[in-house]
């Protein structure tokens, strides 16, 4: 059953904007989601009534701020099925969370060890592992993809991609370009069978469907607030507590310490060991409010709404002559981000023409240049929906794409 988008959209004043004579059609939610009034109000209320630093100030405001900050941590833990709030580490975004994972897990890496990623990763899940391998002498290897845009599991098995040399496997749960959902649990089983750690970039998964980290099979999971109705400036790294307790800190500074002497220091237990300095306090409050909003709607209902929209969008787009979709063309084991190209039209031109008609999408390589190169494209255009998107907005996208195609390539005109 589709969500009641008329009620939902009333909570998002920005969606009532117009672009010239056209209503705004926001289809760039994989880049960043819009924020409901409830989240904005929660952040404003914190700054106006409860603003203070956490875990330092012992006065009333300090106590209120600390309580709100840790209450939000509990909200995150419940939302993702964590065993305890201490498994939730606040970062400034998913990129920092993945860098933290690479730094901490890589402390014992050496030449002869392997790190395995995939061809479809966001740069944030490529570059930290490249840097780690350069630092330690380990080897970076990766899953290839099939022509359909799914992991080439058969090739990986033939080549024994995951083997006794593998120490870390890091994989996106859902591709931000192809929309492909990856078999994380299956690959985590393969990783654990050879003693490797499994890291998951869930930035395109947690906002869109119920995620239970305890059932995912991963050791560390990264995601970000700004793609799930929350503020920018805060991300999350979840980890199994026993693993976190073994890992070294990423950054040094205030609050991540236990005792500091001039010669040496000892470190606080997780999660504070990994949260040096003043954290994103108001942003955590906003993330908690975003989770409350998502929970009220129901993640299963959100997932069903997006699945139906994706099915509808794929049907509309595949019927446009001259349009090529990157990734799966059926709404099976895929998310709502749909990347495509119009024959003979640069994605930046597509983006600009659509923007002139009120349709906001993204053009470029979407921080996934190696994937585009593998597919034979310099870049692509991406439309991505969310819980506030309507079928009428998909229609507006399709109409604007036909207009754009015919403007640049009039041979398609009937």
């Amino acid at each position: 059953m589709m969500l009641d988008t008329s009620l939902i959209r009333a909570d998002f004043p920005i969606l009532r904007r117009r672009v010239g004579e056209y209503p705004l059609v926001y289809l760039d939610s994989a880049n960043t989601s819009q924020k409901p009034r409830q989240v904005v109000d929660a952040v404003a209320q914190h700054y106006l009534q409860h603003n203070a630093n956490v875990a330092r100030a012992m006065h009333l405001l300090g106590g209120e701020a600390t309580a709100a900050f840790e209450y939000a941590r509990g909200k995150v833990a419940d939302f993702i099925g964590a065993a305890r709030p201490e498994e939730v580490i606040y970062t400034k975004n998913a990129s920092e969370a993945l860098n933290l994972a690479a730094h901490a897990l890589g402390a014992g890496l050496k030449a002869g060890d392997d790190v395995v990623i995939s061809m479809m990763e966001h740069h944030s899940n490529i570059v930290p592992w490249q840097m780690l391998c350069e630092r330690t002498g380990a080897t970076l290897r990766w899953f290839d993809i099939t022509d359909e845009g799914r992991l080439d599991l058969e090739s990986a098995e033939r080549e024994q991609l995951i083997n006794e040399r593998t120490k870390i496997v890091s994989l996106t749960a859902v591709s931000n370009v192809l929309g492909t959902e990856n078999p994380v649990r299956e690959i985590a089983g393969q990783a654990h069978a050879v003693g490797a750690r499994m890291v998951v970039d869930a930035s395109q998964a947690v906002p869109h469907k119920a995620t239970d980290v305890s059932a995912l099979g991963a050791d560390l999971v990264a995601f970000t607030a700004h793609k799930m109705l929350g503020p920018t400036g805060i991300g999350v790294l979840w980890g199994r507590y026993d693993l976190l307790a073994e890992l070294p800190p990423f950054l040094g500074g205030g609050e991540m310490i236990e005792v500091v002497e001039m010669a040496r220091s000892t470190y606080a237990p997780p999660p504070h060991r990994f949260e040096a300095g003043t954290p994103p306090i108001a942003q955590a409050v906003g993330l908690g409010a975003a989770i409350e909003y998502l929970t009220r709607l129901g993640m299963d209902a959100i997932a069903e709404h997006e699945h139906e929209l994706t099915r509808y969008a794929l049907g509309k787009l595949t019927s446009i002559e001259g349009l090529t979709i990157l990734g799966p063309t059926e709404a099976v084991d895929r998310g709502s981000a749909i990347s495509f190209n119009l024959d003979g039209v640069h994605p930046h031109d597509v983006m600009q023409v659509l923007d002139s008609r009120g349709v906001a999408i993204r053009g470029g390589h979407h921080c996934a240049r190696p994937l585009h190169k593998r597919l034979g494209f310099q870049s692509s255009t991406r439309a991505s929906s969310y819980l506030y998107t309507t079928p009428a907005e998909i229609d507006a996208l399709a109409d604007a794409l036909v207009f754009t195609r015919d403007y640049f390539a009039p041979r398609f005109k009937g």
Side-chain angles (χ1 to χ4, degrees):
M1 185 178 74
M2 301 286 276
L3 295 171
D4 189 341
T5 49
S6 62
L7 288 177
I8 292 170
R9 290 171 71 87
D11 293 330
F12 295 81
I14 198 170
L15 298 180
R16 295 196 288 273
R17 287 199 59 181
R18 297 187 68 83
V19 181
E21 62 183 283
Y22 297 96
L24 171 66
V25 174
Y26 187 77
L27 292 172
D28 197 20
S29 292
N31 195 0
T32 195
S33 69
Q34 295 301 336
K35 323 302 176 193
R37 191 187 303 274
Q38 291 87 336
V39 170
V40 177
D41 288 348
V43 173
Q45 180 72 5
H46 173 81
Y47 277 130
L48 294 173
Q49 297 294 331
H50 310 289
N51 184 50
N53 215 329
V54 296
R56 294 170 172 83
M58 295 298 104
H59 46 66
L60 174 66
L61 294 182
E64 290 176 348
T66 300
F69 183 71
E70 295 301 336
Y71 178 75
R73 193 191 305 272
K75 283 280 184 187
V76 175
D78 290 343
F79 187 68
I80 61 173
R84 52 196 287 192
E86 292 83 1
E87 294 183 334
V88 172
I89 299 165
Y90 289 130
T91 62
K92 70 173 180 286
N93 46 44
S95 295
E96 184 180 75
L98 290 164
N99 275 270
L100 192 166
H103 179 89
L105 286 179
L109 222 58
K110 60 186 185 305
D113 294 336
D114 287 353
V115 175
V116 174
I117 58 174
S118 86
M119 182 67 71
M120 67 173 69
E121 300 307 313
H122 188 283
H123 294 168
S124 293
N125 204 30
I126 297 177
V127 179
W129 304 111
Q130 290 175 338
M131 294 168 68
L132 174 63
C133 289
E134 289 170 2
R135 218 165 44 237
T136 62
T139 300
L140 187 66
R141 306 180 70 201
W142 49 86
F143 285 90
D144 198 359
I145 59 170
T146 65
D147 291 340
E148 189 191 8
R150 300 193 184 276
L151 292 182
D152 191 342
L153 300 177
E154 292 182 2
S155 175
E157 184 176 1
R158 283 195 309 271
E159 297 170 7
Q160 293 187 302
L161 181 66
I162 297 176
N163 56 57
E164 69 279 357
R165 296 187 305 276
T166 306
K167 303 304 177 187
I168 302 167
V169 179
S170 190
L171 195 67
T172 184
V174 179
S175 168
N176 72 310
V177 175
L178 306 172
T180 308
E181 291 184 4
N182 287 324
V184 169
R185 186 170 181 81
E186 175 187 338
I187 294 171
Q190 296 174 17
H192 292 152
V194 297
R197 302 295 191 186
M198 182 73 188
V199 181
V200 175
D201 176 3
S203 298
Q204 299 292 341
V206 170
H208 302 282
K209 60 188 294 187
T211 302
D212 183 350
V213 291
S214 65
L216 198 58
D219 298 295
L220 298 171
V221 177
F223 59 98
T224 189
H226 75 94
K227 298 183 191 296
M228 53 186 289
L229 309 184
T232 55
I234 183 168
V236 169
L237 181 68
W238 167 86
R240 292 187 294 101
Y241 189 83
D242 58 343
L243 173 61
L244 295 179
E246 297 173 0
L247 295 179
F250 177 41
L251 301 172
E255 293 310 314
M256 52 76 65
I257 48 82
E258 185 179 52
V259 176
V260 176
E261 303 286 356
M262 290 308 296
R264 65 183 298 273
S265 299
T266 56
Y267 307 126
H272 303 296
R273 174 182 304 177
F274 305 101
E275 295 178 356
T278 297
I281 303 166
Q283 290 86 346
V285 171
L287 174 55
I291 285 173
E292 289 176 350
Y293 190 96
L294 292 170
T295 301
R296 280 198 302 273
L297 292 181
M299 292 307 296
D300 289 342
I302 292 169
E304 185 177 355
H305 173 81
E306 289 194 42
H307 176 78
E308 289 303 312
L309 269 179
T310 303
R311 182 186 59 78
Y312 182 69
L314 288 169
K316 295 285 287 190
L317 296 182
T318 53
S319 69
I320 297 175
E321 188 179 358
L323 186 145
T324 301
I325 289 179
L326 283 61
T329 55
E330 294 184 358
V332 178
D333 295 331
R334 74 161 354 267
S336 55
I338 304 174
S339 297
F340 53 88
N341 276 314
L342 281 176
D343 291 350
V345 189
H346 194 282
H348 289 171
D349 292 329
V350 176
M351 180 176 63
Q352 281 192 302
V353 175
L354 263 64
D355 183 53
S356 73
R357 296 172 67 87
V359 181
I361 58 171
R362 184 174 177 183
H365 54 54
H366 320 306
C367 296
R369 187 176 181 274
L371 173 61
H372 280 85
K373 185 176 180 181
R374 166 66 177 81
L375 293 169
F377 293 102
Q378 187 271 337
S379 56
S380 65
T381 313
R382 183 185 68 190
S384 50
S385 58
Y386 200 21
L387 53 88
Y388 37 65
T389 308
T390 67
E393 290 182 310
I394 302 300
D395 293 340
L397 167 68
D399 291 345
L401 286 171
V402 170
F403 173 87
T404 305
R405 180 203 64 187
D406 292 349
Y407 178 83
F408 283 98
R411 68 183 183 276
F412 285 108
K413 286 185 177 180

